[in-house]
Amino acid sequence: MSIIFILIGISLCVALAFLGAFLWAVRSGQYEDDYTPSIRMLFEDEALPDEK
């Protein structure tokens, strides 16, 4: 029975770690631009000077 309490504690720690990582990503601006990646493939890449 005690293993259940240990597993619940471990799962809560893992869940809090993922929540912390998500909040850090949101605050650092990882999810700011959600429009550009969807249209990036429509733009032509400029050729590098050594490519012809």
Side-chain angles (χ1 to χ4, degrees):
M1 186 69 175
S2 64
I3 191 70
I4 293 175
F5 296 122
I6 293 172
L7 289 175
I8 289 173
I10 292 172
S11 66
L12 285 175
C13 289
V14 169
L16 288 175
F18 278 111
L19 179 64
F22 173 72
L23 291 176
W24 172 78
V26 168
R27 289 185 182 177
S28 68
Q30 294 291 320
Y31 300 109
E32 290 293 321
D33 186 16
D34 58 350
Y35 179 67
T36 302
S38 64
I39 63 168
R40 186 177 299 150
M41 67 179 181
L42 300 176
F43 300 122
E44 286 189 36
D45 293 334
E46 293 183 16
L48 295 175
D50 60 344
E51 294 180 356
K52 292 185 182 189

